[in-house]
Amino acid sequence: MFHVKHPDFIDVIVIGAGHAGCEAAWAAANRGATVRLITQNLDTIAKMSCNPAIGGIGKGHLVHEVDALGGLMGVAADQSALQYRVLNRRKGPAVRATRTQCDRRLYHIYMRSMLDGHPRIHLHQGSVSELMFDGDRVVGVVDELGVKHECSSVVLTTGTFLGGVIHVGDRSMPAGRAGDAPVMGLTDELYRRELKVGRLKTGTPPRLDKKTIAWDQLPMQPGETDVQPFSLMHDHVKQEQIPCAITRTTERTHEIILENLSRSPMYSGKIEGVGPRYCPSIEDKVVRFADKSSHQIFLEPEGGDHNEVYPNGISTSLPIDVQWAFVRSIPGLEKVNLIRPGYAVEYDYISPQELTSSLETKKIKALFHAGQINGTTGYEEAAAQGLIAGINAASAALELPHWVPDRSQAYMGVMIDDLVTKGVTEPYRMFTSRAEFRLQLREDNADLRLGNHAIELGLYSELRRQRFEARRDRVGEVFASAGAMQIGTGAEWRSRLAELRLPVPTQSMLFSSYCHREDVNVDQAVGLLDGAGALNVRDLESIKALLHYSGYIDKQHQDVDRFKKMEAQIIPETIDYSRIAGISIECSQRLQSARPATLGQASRLSGVTPAALTGLMMHLRTLS
């Protein structure tokens, strides 16, 4: 094919403008690189292919961290929010999580406008057909028109488009999602480079016509207004929110599905890819949970200016006639019209064990992967990876230091370490239970954990930096006051406590201990601290969380110190595990295959025994 060279060299090329691609482009540009974001269709940038919701348990933590590092997702989610809720409200602050239902069209508009407004981001509509190499280094890409785009580094964020095929019953067609062509050819190229390729699957439910739902027959779930927005740049959530409705499948629903199970491509053997365990299709639910007579469904709006409704809980790839039948067997949906059918999508992914923790491929220099190509599922997981890949792709192009948060600093550090160390056998989803140090990895302190890093990396605008530093200083001052304060029993203390309607202790006690008493209103008690009057609602949440976990966090800091010592033990890339005494052949093979970068990573590999770890530690000491 005759090739035309693009007239402008670029530092970083990002392929794909989903949630990973948008964050990668934004982070790379903020880091100082010039960026070309190449996507098949500029009108589908940041398209919410499945549920237009952001956040949730574990996922909400990632969104706050993306925002804390100057990313886009939290800003766009707040700007397009239809409804907010806080999950796990009755549990401790470490596992509470924010979730918002978004207007999917507004989300796209805000994301597109932010990308368009960045002086170092250049959008380009096209489909990349091949990568360009100089030895073991990627040096550019070629699009379907034969245009050669030369660059210093590439971020591949192909989502479900890499070899994508969608299935509805016995009908299958090449597509990355309904209505969009897949990316073909790149998988073969990556396979030729000896990268390990696999196949995964996800799915989506049919979309319903709002006009044809019997809303008056269903219980409604309103939004919550006492919620903090995702982004530090926003102070309040929208007061006017659109409610969702709740319904359930019935025994008749399950009968229809079971009667037609052989027509599902998941059960006919047509789909080979493994689906997400934590977001099963309705077919899976009916089979796996045969003892349940019904399953809950949330009817969630997709926008404020159109009639599409997302029925959360009935993802399916059954034939369209079966979809009509089982959906209309659900209370409130007896006369519903299906605007779009549900379907499954099967796609290629590259084993994340092929990556370093910076998300650069080990075998191809300057090539970074982010999102579903790494075996993850979800907008939030993709965005977090995109941000880290973008930072490091820019660093590679500009010869700056790489940066990756570790497991003690951020949920995105937990996710990346899980992926590159353990790999995946099914689509990876973030949960708070995956983090060893979750008491200090909370939503409320994401900016306090990561903001200083963002400033060092150049990821903040001047306004964002000012807002962060002011909040950091306010919270730090007040918590320092809390650590130094003793609640007394004398006349002055009795007067101060009476003024705030707080009980007087029988003996002097630390302020943190006083706040743990059941008869103490912590919101009132904070008023005793120096600087408390300057706190806003977000600050107060951070202070209350610190007080709630006081003592426990101190103990966890000791665990973090031990963890960091393990992470500081670098394992040479040239090490030969088969020659280390005390390591079994099986452990040696596992270590040789994974090639962990640190002793900490080696300790988290499945099948690596304590004896093998001790042998490795002793061997490393002989090298130092």
Side-chain angles (χ1 to χ4, degrees):
M1 177 188 290
F2 174 72
H3 288 162
V4 177
K5 184 177 175 181
H6 193 287
D8 299 322
F9 182 88
I10 206 86
D11 292 324
V12 176
I13 286 177
V14 178
I15 301 173
H19 304 278
C22 290
E23 298 292 351
W26 186 258
N30 286 342
R31 186 78 167 112
T34 56
V35 179
R36 186 171 301 139
L37 178 56
I38 302 178
T39 184
Q40 289 182 337
N41 187 348
L42 294 175
D43 295 328
T44 58
I45 284 175
K47 183 174 181 179
M48 293 171 142
S49 307
C50 200
N51 191 359
I54 296 293
I57 297 170
K59 293 170 173 283
H61 293 70
L62 288 174
V63 181
H64 279 83
E65 291 177 357
V66 167
D67 185 74
L69 289 167
L72 299 173
M73 177 169 273
V75 176
D78 289 336
Q79 295 281 18
S80 59
L82 297 173
Q83 183 194 100
Y84 284 91
R85 294 191 68 80
V86 175
L87 311 182
N88 281 345
R89 227 182 232 279
R90 297 180 182 179
K91 297 184 178 181
V95 295
R96 289 177 199 151
T98 309
R99 181 183 187 272
T100 183
Q101 193 71 18
C102 296
D103 184 312
R104 60 182 171 87
R105 290 201 279 197
L106 284 180
Y107 188 92
H108 155 75
I109 289 169
Y110 281 116
M111 193 69 79
R112 170 75 189 264
S113 68
M114 288 186 284
L115 293 170
D116 273 330
H118 201 297
R120 285 192 292 274
I121 296 176
H122 308 280
L123 302 182
H124 181 92
Q125 183 162 298
S127 180
V128 171
S129 57
E130 60 181 288
L131 302 177
M132 296 161 52
F133 298 96
D134 180 6
D136 63 351
R137 184 182 187 89
V138 69
V139 294
V141 305
V142 182
D143 67 24
E144 84 282 13
L145 296 179
V147 177
K148 296 169 68 174
H149 302 258
E150 295 182 337
C151 64
S152 294
S153 57
V154 172
V155 184
L156 203 52
T157 69
T158 50
T160 59
F161 283 68
L162 199 61
V165 177
I166 65 173
H167 303 271
V168 181
D170 61 355
R171 301 293 182 94
S172 300
M173 60 208 79
R177 61 179 164 233
D180 292 308
V183 173
M184 308 303 289
L186 281 184
T187 301
D188 293 338
E189 190 165 16
L190 294 170
Y191 184 79
R192 285 194 297 272
R193 292 275 165 171
E194 299 184 347
L195 299 184
K196 184 180 177 182
V197 179
R199 198 89 170 139
L200 292 174
K201 165 260 174 196
T202 189
T204 193
R207 304 306 195 271
L208 312 180
D209 186 342
K210 180 171 67 176
K211 301 191 304 289
T212 59
I213 297 173
W215 297 100
D216 58 342
Q217 298 177 17
L218 301 173
M220 304 302 289
Q221 184 184 63
E224 298 174 347
T225 56
D226 59 336
V227 180
Q228 285 301 296
F230 279 116
S231 179
L232 183 65
M233 302 304 290
H234 302 141
D235 295 321
H236 307 287
V237 302
K238 296 178 181 179
Q239 297 300 301
E240 294 183 10
Q241 300 183 26
I242 298 176
C244 298
I246 302 172
T247 186
R248 302 189 71 89
T249 59
T250 64
E251 291 185 0
R252 178 56 187 152
T253 309
H254 297 189
E255 288 173 5
I256 294 169
I257 291 168
L258 290 171
E259 288 167 2
N260 291 278
L261 207 58
S262 62
R263 300 178 65 193
S264 166
M266 287 180 56
Y267 286 88
S268 67
K270 199 167 188 180
I271 292 178
E272 298 177 358
V274 180
R277 186 195 320 179
Y278 304 104
C279 187
S281 67
I282 189 62
E283 298 98 289
D284 260 351
K285 288 181 185 178
V286 170
V287 172
R288 287 164 51 186
F289 308 107
D291 57 318
K292 293 187 178 294
S293 60
S294 69
H295 295 283
Q296 188 167 247
I297 302 167
F298 292 92
L299 302 178
E300 300 172 328
E302 293 211 350
D305 62 348
H306 59 88
N307 288 331
E308 287 192 56
V309 171
Y310 184 96
N312 190 346
I314 54 170
S315 173
T316 185
S317 58
L318 283 161
I320 186 64
D321 60 309
V322 181
Q323 292 187 37
W324 279 326
F326 86 69
V327 170
R328 289 190 171 191
S329 70
I330 296 169
L333 307 182
E334 291 87 354
K335 297 182 179 180
V336 77
N337 180 43
L338 273 58
I339 293 178
R340 309 181 195 220
Y343 62 88
V345 57
E346 201 174 9
Y347 56 94
D348 294 332
Y349 80 100
I350 309 301
S351 170
Q353 289 182 301
E354 297 284 359
L355 306 174
T356 67
S357 59
S358 69
L359 299 182
E360 183 179 20
T361 56
K362 296 174 181 176
K363 294 170 184 170
I364 306 171
K365 293 177 182 176
L367 177 62
F368 297 78
H369 291 177
Q372 285 176 287
I373 191 174
N374 290 338
T376 59
T377 182
Y379 309 144
E380 302 83 359
E381 289 87 347
Q385 292 170 73
L387 186 142
I388 298 300
I391 289 171
N392 291 314
S395 297
L398 302 176
E399 298 183 351
L400 297 170
H402 283 72
W403 182 81
V404 182
D406 66 37
R407 298 180 73 92
S408 69
Q409 293 175 301
Y411 272 94
M412 56 178 67
V414 173
M415 173 178 63
I416 290 170
D417 184 66
D418 282 348
L419 292 172
V420 303
T421 303
K422 302 174 184 176
V424 298
T425 55
E426 62 184 2
Y428 179 98
R429 178 176 176 176
M430 178 49 68
F431 290 104
T432 55
S433 59
R434 294 190 188 274
E436 306 94 320
F437 310 115
R438 58 183 173 273
L439 296 188
Q440 60 192 45
L441 303 184
R442 307 182 305 277
E443 280 194 351
D444 72 85
N445 71 345
D447 58 322
L448 301 176
R449 288 184 274 120
L450 298 171
N452 289 330
H453 293 289
I455 292 171
E456 291 170 7
L457 293 165
L459 304 178
Y460 276 3
S461 66
E462 181 60 21
L463 176 60
R464 184 182 279 267
R465 183 189 65 79
Q466 291 174 1
R467 288 179 69 104
F468 162 71
E469 289 181 341
R471 169 169 147 77
R472 178 195 63 194
D473 294 345
R474 286 194 307 269
V475 173
E477 177 187 343
V478 173
F479 195 66
S481 172
M485 180 174 284
Q486 286 264 359
I487 303 294
T489 59
E492 184 179 344
W493 272 110
R494 287 176 180 276
S495 175
R496 291 182 67 185
L497 294 172
E499 188 177 340
L500 294 173
R501 297 181 181 179
L502 291 168
V504 179
T506 57
Q507 59 184 15
S508 294
M509 62 194 309
L510 287 171
F511 180 80
S512 58
S513 300
Y514 180 74
C515 287
H516 284 154
R517 286 178 46 156
E518 291 184 3
D519 58 347
V520 170
N521 182 318
V522 179
D523 289 339
Q524 293 291 100
V526 170
L528 296 167
L529 300 172
D530 295 336
L535 297 179
N536 58 32
V537 176
R538 192 187 294 272
D539 300 336
L540 185 60
E541 284 189 359
S542 296
I543 293 293
K544 287 165 62 178
L546 286 167
L547 292 169
H548 181 82
Y549 291 122
S550 62
Y552 296 102
I553 290 180
D554 291 339
K555 293 177 183 177
Q556 194 158 93
H557 283 161
Q558 297 173 13
D559 295 333
V560 169
D561 289 340
R562 285 192 290 270
F563 164 80
K564 287 188 177 295
K565 287 178 182 177
M566 294 276 279
E567 294 304 300
Q569 280 273 276
I570 304 296
I571 300 175
E573 292 182 9
T574 55
I575 194 168
D576 184 351
Y577 291 99
S578 65
R579 302 176 69 87
I580 300 176
I583 296 184
S584 68
I585 294 175
E586 181 184 358
C587 287
S588 172
Q589 290 173 343
R590 288 180 183 272
L591 289 162
Q592 195 71 32
S593 174
R595 308 296 304 177
T598 68
L599 191 62
Q601 278 193 354
S603 71
R604 294 186 290 276
L605 285 173
S606 175
V608 174
T609 64
L613 204 61
T614 300
L616 178 56
M617 289 171 65
M618 294 176 65
H619 181 75
L620 292 175
R621 285 174 188 163
T622 67
L623 301 179
S624 60

